[in-house]
Amino acid sequence: MNRKRNRHGKDQRITLTAILTLGVLLFTGCGSEAEDPGEPPASIIKGEETENESLGNDAGQTENSAEAVANSGDVQEGEILKNAISVRIGRDSETEWDVDMYHNDASLTMLDYLSGSALLFPTYTYDEEGGFVAQNVRGNYTREDEQTIADVKTGELYLFSGGQLRFYFQDMEGVDITATPIGYYTDTEGLTEAVQEAYTSNLDDSWGVDVYFWITKTLG
């Protein structure tokens, strides 16, 4: 059953080191149109430090690694990784959205960067006309699972050959994209409005971020 859940303060904990490590590994930083203001202060990117998390943890070496899932034999290629991640849209949001991911190399690579703690992700491209929020991601991704998609639906995520990850928050027809399907939000009611509100509330962000996302790996 599709679901959204509300979570409160304790679930917003995150270590500074985990975010910085993930930023180096996964994100390229500000888009070409935004001047890089430098490293945000701790008040921007650091939540409360969680217990049992030490400095130097590698985001790609989490206990519930996607590689272990891929090799477990429980999930076969082409199947769906149910509730692989949960997402909160906007820095102050308490509404949590479940995301199913496809069992392909690109999705598994992305999952390897995530941990069971909420990680704060900035996106630097908000395209209202195109109906998506996007950010360039780092990593070695194959193009074996690319598809040509004529129309996209609200809540779908795609990885493009240039390394751009797009989250579509509106239905769009005639886009004719060639990309690797990554996953989709299981509940799309109110999703468009949530992204638009997060963008509007973040217009004065000092670091050029269009929309912040809190992402937690729940697969395990």
Side-chain angles (χ1 to χ4, degrees):
M1 180 175 179
N2 292 343
R3 56 200 175 101
K4 292 177 290 187
R5 301 186 303 277
N6 288 330
R7 295 172 60 184
H8 300 283
K10 291 184 179 180
D11 289 334
Q12 296 185 8
R13 298 176 178 175
I14 179 174
T15 62
L16 175 61
T17 300
I19 298 176
L20 293 179
T21 301
L22 190 61
V24 171
L25 291 174
L26 186 58
F27 286 106
T28 62
C30 293
S32 58
E33 297 181 359
E35 181 179 354
D36 187 354
E39 179 183 298
S43 61
I44 295 294
I45 63 175
K46 181 181 180 180
E48 294 183 45
E49 291 187 359
T50 58
E51 297 179 0
N52 302 322
E53 285 188 309
S54 60
L55 296 179
N57 280 349
D58 186 346
Q61 297 178 350
T62 58
E63 181 177 354
N64 297 321
S65 73
E67 182 178 0
V69 173
N71 296 329
S72 67
D74 295 332
V75 180
Q76 301 300 319
E77 184 73 22
E79 292 186 4
I80 301 299
L81 303 175
K82 294 289 187 179
N83 301 326
I85 62 174
S86 61
V87 179
R88 277 174 281 153
I89 303 169
R91 287 187 58 208
D92 301 321
S93 174
E94 294 181 353
T95 300
E96 193 157 294
W97 308 76
D98 292 326
V99 175
D100 288 353
M101 296 181 74
Y102 297 107
H103 186 269
N104 57 40
D105 288 342
S107 296
L108 294 176
T109 298
M110 290 182 185
L111 284 170
D112 263 338
Y113 288 117
L114 301 178
S115 77
S117 298
L119 301 177
L120 186 61
F121 285 83
T123 59
Y124 295 94
T125 300
Y126 174 89
D127 190 326
E128 180 73 28
E129 184 177 350
F132 63 84
V133 176
Q135 173 65 329
N136 290 334
V137 295
R138 291 180 178 174
N140 296 319
Y141 299 98
T142 71
R143 300 177 62 179
E144 295 178 357
D145 297 301
E146 275 189 345
Q147 300 177 18
T148 299
I149 298 98
D151 307 321
V152 297
K153 300 295 184 182
T154 300
E156 293 181 336
L157 297 100
Y158 293 95
L159 179 67
F160 288 72
S161 59
Q164 186 185 67
L165 179 66
R166 289 186 185 181
F167 158 42
Y168 284 89
F169 59 89
Q170 297 185 53
D171 291 351
M172 301 296 295
E173 297 182 353
V175 293
D176 295 324
I177 61 174
T178 299
T180 301
I182 296 299
Y184 51 88
Y185 284 63
T186 60
D187 187 358
T188 60
E189 182 179 357
L191 190 61
T192 300
E193 293 77 11
V195 177
Q196 293 171 331
E197 181 179 349
Y199 171 74
T200 300
S201 66
N202 209 54
L203 286 174
D204 61 350
D205 184 79
S206 300
W207 312 104
V209 177
D210 283 338
V211 182
Y212 285 102
F213 293 85
W214 290 91
I215 301 179
T216 305
K217 182 167 70 173
T218 53
L219 184 70

